Amino acid sequence: MREGPGPGAVRKYPRTHHLPDSPGATGDDRMVTDLDGLTGELVVTEKMDGGNVTFTRDLMYARSVDSGTHAWDRPAKALWARVAHEIPDGWRVCGESMWARRSVAYTDLPGVFLVFAVWDGTHTLRGWDETAEWAALLDLPLVPVLYRGTDLATARAAWSRQRDADYSEGFVVRTAAPLPEAEFGRQVAKWVRAQHVRTPATWRHRDDFAVNGFVR
């Protein structure tokens, strides 16, 4: 795997640790050992049931960087071809590829690629306001925002007030400010519903997989 800033570089999206009360965590997952990093202004976004995909100026790739491009990512790849020239060298725009239906059936998505992170050439996760600005510049929708504020207890309760485990996978909470990649494990965390994967793995080997619904 090639790493580092500059054209053509491939850098895998960091693993997001689970909150201590995340029912979807398994023995292979990493947990947040303390919540001291989740201070200041926080943003809670819905954890979408899609595929983690990265856009750079030169490449589009999944979190499993050697997995190649699959049929269910074709619409996202078409978007990447349209916006790639506007992404600065060494920057990464990360989001969920949402065309294929997995364990959650969505009916009114705003697009086939939903942005949740923007990294600059120093491997700094840009702040949420700048993430929103870049998404708007590229004409790409963001993942839904469920809460923004300074109270961690309210942030952690936002998903259950607005979503249901039958129709939503969970949430991600992060600090709203920029943060270096080394701090990602302390300042970004997720909560995932129990048994969040509810689709047989065989769908990945089919060409007639179900697709989500989108806003017209």
Side-chain angles (χ1 to χ4, degrees), residues 30-75:
R30 296 180 183 176
M31 308 294 291
V32 177
T33 56
D34 64 68
L35 302 180
D36 292 345
L38 294 172
T39 58
E41 188 173 22
L42 304 170
V43 174
V44 176
T45 58
E46 185 172 2
K47 186 180 184 302
M48 307 302 292
D49 185 21
N52 186 314
V53 168
T54 293
F55 289 0
T56 72
R57 189 178 186 89
D58 302 288
L59 298 169
M60 169 185 149
Y61 55 91
R63 187 173 186 276
S64 299
V65 296
D66 297 324
S67 64
T69 301
H70 301 286
W72 51 85
D73 288 328
R74 287 172 187 158

Side-chain angles (χ1 to χ4, degrees), residues 19 21 35 38 40-45 145-163 171-174 191:
L19 288 165
D21 61 340
L35 302 180
L38 294 172
E41 188 173 22
L42 304 170
V43 174
V44 176
T45 58
V145 176
L146 304 179
Y147 172 80
R148 184 166 183 172
T150 58
D151 185 72
L152 179 57
T154 304
R156 293 175 70 179
W159 179 85
S160 62
R161 294 197 307 267
Q162 302 173 57
R163 297 292 191 266
F171 66 88
V172 177
V173 56
R174 58 159 288 177
W191 183 99

Side-chain angles (χ1 to χ4, degrees), residues 14-189:
R15 178 183 289 192
T16 305
H17 295 187
H18 284 258
L19 288 165
D21 61 340
S22 174
T26 67
D28 295 330
D29 289 318
R30 296 180 183 176
M31 308 294 291
V32 177
T33 56
D34 64 68
L35 302 180
D36 292 345
L38 294 172
T39 58
E41 188 173 22
L42 304 170
V43 174
V44 176
T45 58
E46 185 172 2
K47 186 180 184 302
M48 307 302 292
D49 185 21
N52 186 314
V53 168
T54 293
F55 289 0
T56 72
R57 189 178 186 89
D58 302 288
L59 298 169
M60 169 185 149
Y61 55 91
R63 187 173 186 276
S64 299
V65 296
D66 297 324
S67 64
T69 301
H70 301 286
W72 51 85
D73 288 328
R74 287 172 187 158
K77 191 169 186 178
L79 279 180
W80 167 77
R82 176 175 62 80
V83 305
H85 69 283
E86 298 189 64
I87 301 173
D89 286 342
W91 285 52
R92 292 170 282 150
V93 178
C94 302
E96 295 280 355
S97 175
M98 298 299 303
W99 188 48
R101 180 182 299 173
R102 292 167 168 82
S103 298
V104 177
Y106 299 98
T107 59
D108 56 354
L109 292 171
V112 295
F113 180 80
L114 308 185
V115 176
F116 56 69
V118 173
W119 299 83
D120 67 21
T122 68
H123 310 312
T124 297
L125 180 66
R126 303 311 307 165
W128 187 254
D129 286 337
E130 191 172 356
T131 300
E133 289 172 1
W134 272 101
L137 175 66
L138 299 174
D139 196 23
L140 299 173
L142 289 165
V143 293
V145 176
L146 304 179
Y147 172 80
R148 184 166 183 172
T150 58
D151 185 72
L152 179 57
T154 304
R156 293 175 70 179
W159 179 85
S160 62
R161 294 197 307 267
Q162 302 173 57
R163 297 292 191 266
D164 184 283
D166 289 334
Y167 305 102
S168 180
E169 186 174 272
F171 66 88
V172 177
V173 56
R174 58 159 288 177
T175 55
L179 61 114
E181 189 174 41
E183 290 295 308
F184 187 89
R186 296 184 62 251
Q187 298 187 46
V188 183

